[in-house]
């Protein structure tokens, strides 16, 4: 299927991705990993959950670590322009016969909870508590110096349909991989905020979260994180990289926590604000689309992901779709 | 005057700053400076003008060097969402009794030429020729590896009024300097594209262009440029830096061409997309707002700028307003 | 065999490694690779050979590319303190019944040609033409910005004996890998100039040159080279990395030219001047000694190397010693 | 006076500079500065003194902070090859009628205490306690990530005589500034360990210590330190930089503690091992020798320094020699 033209006048205005809720089996382990090692800042914690933000963020949180079934994702969150857009969002999902619910969430205003057609739990909001600026409190910087959450990447059983659905919502494609043999879209990167993506879809057993990503200042911060992880007991949590993607031109590293949640550390993609930006097409047979420098990704990277709460896969789902190593 | 609340629903939709036309006295000198030394790419040139783009840009040009009165600026250009927004822009300026004209410009679709109330020549457009992607043609990268035009900074006789006017147009303030003694705004940074600014206004003899700025990958590229300029005959064109601004948190360098046009090389500011982003207020008495590390700017930096064609200043203008060194 | 105590009072004073002669099948191809891509500077060339130096070197050359049997190495060169040390060197090799010869070499004073006990061709000299300083001619910097030749790494059939022989010559061990099961030394890094090594020996089918290495300013230069090679037709010449070695703590990249000569791009090891420096011992079973971050090296890296002219291996040699992947 | 030919066969073998003892008025303040902010590691502390080492050093200390008269320096330390060299050093100083004494120092073997002809307190030793390797304990890295002490820089009333004296001791000149008008040497950089300097002498009211210097991995670490100091109360301790020296080609930053002791943070000079290295001559009138990029140093940098215990200057000394700003 060809990539659809962008919907430049969507029915409601999503600003950007905002946050993710990760279920983890051991909060103490996850705190050591996400806070002490990666360098995210704790904005709230109790016995059940830890709320985190990155260094330049002023919203209350971009990650919620919640004690639960390790490796499951609670929800993907997005911020909309204002309260009116939130009402329009409700209408949009209702029109599509998708479940909608107004829920209470700490540190946030009205929250619209819904799911996409494949069961991925989504929430939208306009207001979240705003916190004091810490971007220039340099003594707080640690680990990889994460600046902000950058994107989500999902395994999808049908990337063409996902691109259609999220495209209707206003996400615009910046780059994609086409499978010339089948005519299908193998993967697509879609944005709202003017970078390469807020959300991406890759062919695979889905719906599952492949990774969340954090933006960092320079590739040297990624090297610093590698040195730190490699000498503090986290060497086996390093999965892939460092390297540069052909797609997005970003410098990357992939790491996985003990529950299997994958994080990409990411920097140096490009600005995509122009509505007439032409998506870049990559051939599935071109190995440089994944790693510009040629090194292959490990098999785990193609196979493993986090499930979504309430959208768990059956055994047969997990076996249904063989992953083609790129 | 307090900073006005942002206009979140402007009458027309500007995406981002786009380009600037600089008059230069010697095209060959300017080519050596902007192309061979800074590393901008030539997209067109003839006997009268050289068109340039930065490495990740796909629009035809971000700088036009035109043979003429060195040190004068022809126009500041902005891209709007679509042709309809361009018509709305015309109406907006007409309503304010400002001159509007549809002009022909090479490599661009319809161009609306106008001026702000102080005579600054502005142009708006929706379409510019799109060029092939060169972001990954790494053999083309030279000099400071400029990725994209980032912002304009203008001297203004009345920053409060400039903030009001551009704020009405939809530019939102991210940071500002308040003069506590007079109650006036000393300087303000305003954006459309989600960074710290597309345009900024600083108190001074205006209207004049203080500088245009280019985004580069990392501070090390700025160090590379300094080494190159210092050993190829451009040491006297280095004016200020390298350093980190308190305001914007960006790493910077200022250089000036032989006609006096100033360029900032800039990286690492932050994302400002949220409509509820609270502007950061700086006190005029805080020297760290300009250079976080404390080093003062040279006097030239406070005094010199490029005039705008058709808005030239009289001698008395130039003497009218003493610059207070910060 | 335990690592022998360093010989702190050697019979002659080698200052540092100096140069290598590589036979290549196509000088034009090699020029594009070593000069245009890596960034070495040509100091002399004719139809048969190209002489190269790195950016901070003042001696005439560190690499000679000579038209010949591609993948063969002509000689490894070392600089000694003065002419008297050269005479002592001659005596030292004669005492050991190794061949010595005074030969003529362009751009150099007296040259003592000899071989180590395994046939590796070595040459020693005190004087080489000195060239003007170009370290601050920043317009000449290209590619990976190579600053100086750093070391040689050799496959050896018997690392313990090689360590003994070169140790007697005054090379001091800084780090080594011990095979706890056999009691043998698996690999050893030995220096004269105060870094981790001028020469290293790794267990393998030898004698062969595993690689020569160049020192570069920072890891970002290595990333720049990867981007450049990946987009100018050299992606298949990238063999391993980037990464950090456990041994030496250096940041590295390995690349191979079309004849199979391997170059390491290397930075950030440490100072080893102290005569009482204790060698660091690594266990052959510790994978982090090779890559601190855990990623394995490809099989080619363990198997392929350049032969030495006049010390070519038989088929049975090449099969004699299976390489144990680390 | 022309620079004398290097003494390639000195009477005793100094390996490198080793350590410095600084008297400070408030150990707690100095600990916060040198340990928490710069990132040096404490190897011993009691009520009177704190011993520090940098990250790649294995000797027990490179800095001793001792409670005392703030701004005074106790001694400059150098390591010699072995105990025999230490005896030769004693003879060398005795021959010159300079005071020699064998003293006890914690964590060190035999220590020879002496003074140069201008009263600068020097000590030589062959053995200092060796500590475990921490270079790869990346969780310990803080601040500017100091790797090793790099050099001392002294104000001298007579640089030509200082160069003669230290040159006789075996220090070799790598770069120098000549005052063409007077024929005198204005400043000289002299090394033992193969970098640009272990010790340098600059014309000025002396003897005083201008600064000690630490080697760091990359310029980005210096930027990190600036950000940290600027936001943790140390902005007024930043004196000069960041910049690149023409002389040495090093990237630098100068900071001063509250007692006036100056530290240079330094990286990227070059290898100077060759005995036939030709010193680079700079003209006193060339401002790029100090800062390649052209920015002048502040007046304090030319005037302020630390006195040496037992070699204190009289008021008339301090007034005797006006500093010529370069």
């Amino acid at each position: 299927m060809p990539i659809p033209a962008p919907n430049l006048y969507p029915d409601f205005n999503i600003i950007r991705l905002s946050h993710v809720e990760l279920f983890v089996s051991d909060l103490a382990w996850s705190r050591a990993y996400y806070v002490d090692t990666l360098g995210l800042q704790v904005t709230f914690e109790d016995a059940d959950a830890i709320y985190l933000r990155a260094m330049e963020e002023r919203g209350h949180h971009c990650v919620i670590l919640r004690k639960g079934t390790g490796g499951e994702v609670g929800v993907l969150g997005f911020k909309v322009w204002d309260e009116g857009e939130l009402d329009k969002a409700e209408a949009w999902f209702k029109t599509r016969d998708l479940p909608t619910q107004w829920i209470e969430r700490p540190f946030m205003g009205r929250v619209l909870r819904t799911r996409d057609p494949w069961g991925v739990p989504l929430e939208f909001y306009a207001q979240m508590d705003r916190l004091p600026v810490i971007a220039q409190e340099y003594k707080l910087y640690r680990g990889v110096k994460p600046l902000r959450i950058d994107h989500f990447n999902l395994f999808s059983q049908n990337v063409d349909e996902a691109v259609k659905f999220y495209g209707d919502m206003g996400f615009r494609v910046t780059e994609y991989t086409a499978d010339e043999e089948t005519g299908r879209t193998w993967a697509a990167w879609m944005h709202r905020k003017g970078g390469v993506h807020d959300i991406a879809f890759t062919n695979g057993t889905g719906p599952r979260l492949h990774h969340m990503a954090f933006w960092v200042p320079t590739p040297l911060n990624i090297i610093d994180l590698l040195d730190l992880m490699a000498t503090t007991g986290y060497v086996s949590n390093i999965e892939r990289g460092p390297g540069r993607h052909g797609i997005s031109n970003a410098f990357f590293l992939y790491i996985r926590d003990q529950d299997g949640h994958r994080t990409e550390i990411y920097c140096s993609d490009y600005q995509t604000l122009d509505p007439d930006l032409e998506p870049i097409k990559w051939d599935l047979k071109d190995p440089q689309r994944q790693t510009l420098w040629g090194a292959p990704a490990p098999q785990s990277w193609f196979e493993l992901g986090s499930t979504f709460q309430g959208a768990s896969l059956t055994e047969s789902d997990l076996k249904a779709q063989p992953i083609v190593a790129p």
Side-chain angles (χ1 to χ4, degrees), chain A:
Chain A
M1 226 161 69
I3 288 294
N7 177 7
L8 299 179
Y9 311 97
D11 293 329
F12 66 103
N13 184 356
I14 298 168
I15 304 168
R16 58 173 178 88
L17 93 158
S18 161
H19 60 275
V20 58
E21 183 180 45
L22 304 176
F23 290 101
V24 299
S25 56
D26 178 346
L27 276 175
W29 191 96
S30 296
R31 196 185 201 286
Y33 179 86
Y34 288 100
V35 176
D36 301 336
T37 306
L38 265 63
L40 291 165
Q41 299 290 312
V42 175
T43 58
F44 177 82
E45 63 185 319
D46 62 16
D48 289 325
I50 303 173
Y51 289 71
L52 305 173
R53 70 160 158 165
M55 299 309 298
E56 75 171 49
E57 293 175 335
R58 302 194 201 163
H60 184 272
H61 55 269
C62 60
V63 174
I64 305 165
L65 302 173
R66 192 174 300 282
K67 190 152 176 45
T69 304
E72 208 169 50
V73 174
V75 75
L76 305 181
F78 296 85
K79 183 175 170 81
V80 299
W81 189 256
D82 62 16
E83 296 296 328
E85 299 299 315
L86 210 43
D87 294 320
K88 293 181 203 164
E90 183 192 23
W92 195 90
F93 280 90
K94 283 196 164 176
T95 297
R96 281 158 182 77
D97 286 329
L98 292 164
T100 62
Q101 191 181 4
W102 295 101
I103 63 166
E104 298 279 319
R105 294 277 266 172
F107 315 114
M108 296 170 74
R110 286 199 306 161
V111 174
L112 174 69
R113 183 67 78 102
T114 181
R115 287 184 187 268
D116 78 7
W118 302 275
V120 175
L122 305 174
E123 68 188 23
F124 297 89
Y125 74 96
Q127 281 183 281
M128 183 188 277
D129 288 0
R130 307 293 289 181
L131 299 183
V133 179
I134 53 170
Q136 291 181 327
E137 293 195 34
Y138 281 102
K139 68 179 179 293
L140 299 180
Y141 282 75
R142 282 188 310 265
V144 78
K145 302 185 178 177
L147 296 182
R148 56 179 180 267
I149 194 166
D150 189 83
H151 63 261
F152 301 130
N153 186 309
L154 278 69
F155 280 124
S156 167
Q157 304 277 25
N158 192 320
V159 173
D160 281 306
E161 286 178 22
V163 168
K164 173 85 177 58
F165 181 82
Y166 283 85
D168 285 350
M169 221 189 294
F171 290 87
R172 310 204 298 270
V173 174
T174 56
E175 307 206 20
Y176 65 104
T177 302
D179 182 344
E180 299 291 355
E181 289 178 18
T182 64
R184 291 175 55 205
T185 301
W186 187 263
W189 285 255
M190 307 182 79
H191 85 98
R192 284 296 303 166
K193 69 178 178 300
V196 170
H197 51 327
D198 289 79
I199 195 165
F201 300 95
T202 307
N203 189 50
T205 306
R208 288 183 301 160
L209 182 66
H210 189 274
H211 64 265
M212 63 171 173
F214 285 93
W215 182 275
V216 296
T218 77
L220 287 185
N221 300 103
I222 291 180
I223 293 168
D224 286 345
L225 180 65
L226 282 157
D227 289 334
L228 181 66
M229 290 182 67
T231 55
T232 53
Y234 296 105
V235 70
S236 65
N237 299 92
I238 299 169
E239 186 188 34
R240 178 187 171 198
R244 186 182 300 286
H245 289 304
I247 292 167
S248 80
N249 201 37
F251 193 85
F252 69 84
L253 172 71
Y254 293 94
I255 57 177
R256 294 178 75 231
D257 74 14
Q258 71 167 9
D259 293 304
H261 295 303
R262 184 185 285 111
T263 299
E264 181 178 13
I265 312 296
Y266 182 92
C267 64
S268 81
D269 71 359
Y270 57 92
Q271 192 175 287
T272 63
L273 297 159
D274 293 358
D276 51 357
L277 184 93
E278 284 194 357
I280 297 174
K281 178 182 177 176
W282 295 82
D283 188 328
L284 182 57
K285 295 198 202 72
D286 178 357
Q288 287 192 278
R289 75 183 199 287
Q290 292 209 330
T291 308
L292 190 68
W293 308 335
Q299 198 58 21
S300 65
W301 192 87
F302 296 105
E303 292 178 355
L304 304 179
S306 302
T307 53
F308 288 107
Q309 195 178 40
S312 293
L313 303 166
T314 63
E315 275 301 302
S316 66
D317 282 334
L318 285 164
K319 286 177 187 160
Q321 184 167 359
I323 305 297
V324 178

